[in-house]
Amino acid sequence: MVTQSKRGRFIVLEGIDGAGKTTQAELLREYLEGQGRRVYRTAEPTPFPTGVALREALGGKVKKSECEMAVMFVLDRIAHNIHPTDGIRAILDGGQDIICDRYYYSTLAYQGHSTSYEWVRSMNLGCPEITRPDICIYLDLTPEQSLDRISRGRESVEIYENKETLERVRGAFFRVFDDLGKTDNIAVLDAYRSPEEIAADIARLVDLL
Ligand code: TYD
């Protein structure tokens, strides 16, 4: 029997569209469960009311300013952390590993770019109720690789998924990783490979935690 360490491990997956976050989250879950660990998959925006409000704003149903969006992502992240039963803190304390699709790296990359990076950074990293992940794994695709994947997977490419946008977002993520490289455990993986190859790299990284 594999002994479950006391506190679970908090693993974040990040990446631009088409990078394969969902596939890798599922493969990692299978890998960890195969080791006898209990795994909790989650994502941001959350299904909590704060996340529902974000989805409405992202879908254009409700108009919000860029600064409002930044604060809403932080609010959703706090709710995600402190929910008494389904919150990140409670789940980790209960000994389960967490695989989270997107976290504050996304806010720093997207809202840090559209508002003030320093402000967004301090709201997230300075907040005592926002847990630091044990690792952030960034699935890296160039914009060309991303568009290639999207066009093969979907009927129509959505308007915001153009090359310039993808380039800008990727650049923003790399600036975040340069900034947080000393304080956070960040791994950038080439995501333009087979799911099995990527999963093997992720398993190796997670085994080191
Ligand atoms: P997501 O559900 O991951 O959508 P997708 O599968 O299309 O990537 O995230 C929804 C959108 O929210 C996505 O475009 C990225 C954006 N987002 C931010 O701008 N800031 C954040 O902090 C997060 C978590 C997401």
Side-chain angles (χ1 to χ4, degrees):
M1 195 187 115
V2 177
T3 41
Q4 184 99 11
S5 65
K6 255 206 183 113
R7 184 181 177 272
R9 295 167 305 177
F10 183 16
I11 302 150
V12 168
L13 296 180
E14 294 273 6
I16 58 176
D17 290 312
K21 295 195 300 292
T22 309
T23 305
Q24 290 306 322
E26 204 40 46
L27 291 173
L28 180 58
R29 178 219 282 275
E30 285 168 19
Y31 175 73
L32 292 172
E33 285 181 349
Q35 291 184 327
R37 301 188 68 94
R38 289 180 301 125
V39 180
Y40 186 86
R41 266 192 67 187
T42 185
E44 293 189 359
T46 69
F48 299 134
T50 44
V52 173
L54 268 170
R55 294 246 175 241
E56 283 175 359
L58 284 166
K61 224 167 128 189
V62 187
K63 186 96 193 87
K64 297 285 179 194
S65 77
E66 298 295 334
C67 288
E68 283 179 305
M69 291 300 285
V71 173
M72 285 169 72
F73 276 111
V74 173
L75 194 56
D76 189 38
R77 187 156 302 122
I78 293 172
H80 198 191
N81 270 271
I82 66 174
H83 189 281
T85 52
D86 300 335
I88 289 168
R89 285 178 169 188
I91 302 284
L92 292 175
D93 287 347
Q96 289 194 66
D97 288 337
I98 293 181
I99 304 170
C100 184
D101 185 337
R102 295 190 186 274
Y103 199 55
Y104 58 60
Y105 309 94
S106 279
T107 314
L108 266 62
Y110 291 90
Q111 283 67 45
H113 181 87
S114 63
T115 67
S116 150
Y117 183 80
E118 284 310 315
W119 174 62
V120 170
R121 185 190 201 279
S122 76
M123 274 199 296
N124 281 277
L125 304 185
C127 175
E129 292 177 348
I130 294 181
T131 307
R132 288 282 181 114
D134 294 303
I135 191 166
C136 163
I137 299 168
Y138 181 76
L139 302 176
D140 184 39
L141 286 183
T142 65
E144 292 79 9
Q145 293 167 340
S146 172
L147 288 173
D148 178 52
R149 288 246 177 113
I150 291 168
S151 66
R152 278 193 273 156
R154 295 188 210 165
E155 301 263 303
S156 65
V157 178
E158 286 172 51
I159 240 128
Y160 57 83
E161 289 161 342
N162 62 49
K163 218 172 140 199
E164 294 74 51
T165 310
L166 293 167
E167 193 75 77
R168 188 168 44 68
V169 174
R170 183 172 184 243
F173 268 112
F174 283 152
R175 279 193 295 280
V176 172
F177 299 148
D178 276 346
D179 178 33
L180 301 188
K182 285 207 174 68
T183 52
D184 286 35
N185 183 14
I186 295 162
V188 176
L189 296 185
D190 172 7
Y192 204 62
R193 296 179 293 160
S194 74
E196 294 74 24
E197 281 175 287
I198 302 165
D201 278 358
I202 293 178
R204 267 192 292 277
L205 288 166
V206 169
D207 279 342
L208 293 173
L209 296 176

